[in-house]
Amino acid sequence: KMTLQFFVLNPIIYLPLYFSTTGFLRGYDFEKTKAYFSQNYIHTYVSLLQFWVPFVTGIFLFVPEPLQSVTMAGISLVWNTILSYITNRNK
């Protein structure tokens, strides 16, 4: 499941959808959204892997199953903060 998530779903669905939605909400046209995506995609994807792979591995290995979803929710909050910083750092 982790392999599918990190190497198929995230790079092909999650990040393109994130950048296109963010571009749309910022009022960017298609070309500016495409440039925004191209400029930020690699750095964001590498950051995603560096952040999530260790945390998810640690959660599945060390956190009891009843607490895994709560732990993932807390870590997701941290990730969303990092993602916001990454995509807004040049403003």
Side-chain angles (χ1 to χ4, degrees), residues 43-54:
H43 177 68
T44 305
Y45 181 58
V46 169
S47 297
L48 180 146
L49 292 175
Q50 290 173 333
F51 181 84
W52 278 110
V53 171

Side-chain angles (χ1 to χ4, degrees), residues 3-17:
T3 303
L4 177 67
Q5 179 71 35
F6 291 127
F7 300 107
V8 177
L9 297 176
N10 283 337
I12 296 172
I13 297 172
Y14 172 69
L15 287 179
L17 187 59

Side-chain angles (χ1 to χ4, degrees), residues 30-89:
F30 178 74
E31 291 302 317
K32 190 168 181 178
T33 300
K34 198 166 84 170
Y36 173 65
F37 173 80
S38 298
Q39 184 178 37
N40 291 289
Y41 178 79
I42 297 296
H43 177 68
T44 305
Y45 181 58
V46 169
S47 297
L48 180 146
L49 292 175
Q50 290 173 333
F51 181 84
W52 278 110
V53 171
F55 275 111
V56 171
T57 303
I59 288 169
F60 289 139
L61 289 175
F62 304 113
V63 176
E65 193 171 329
L67 298 175
Q68 287 179 357
S69 61
V70 174
T71 305
M72 288 291 283
I75 294 172
S76 292
L77 176 64
V78 174
W79 167 248
N80 286 326
T81 303
I82 292 168
L83 185 59
S84 179
Y85 172 77
I86 290 170
T87 55
N88 291 295
R89 69 185 182 277

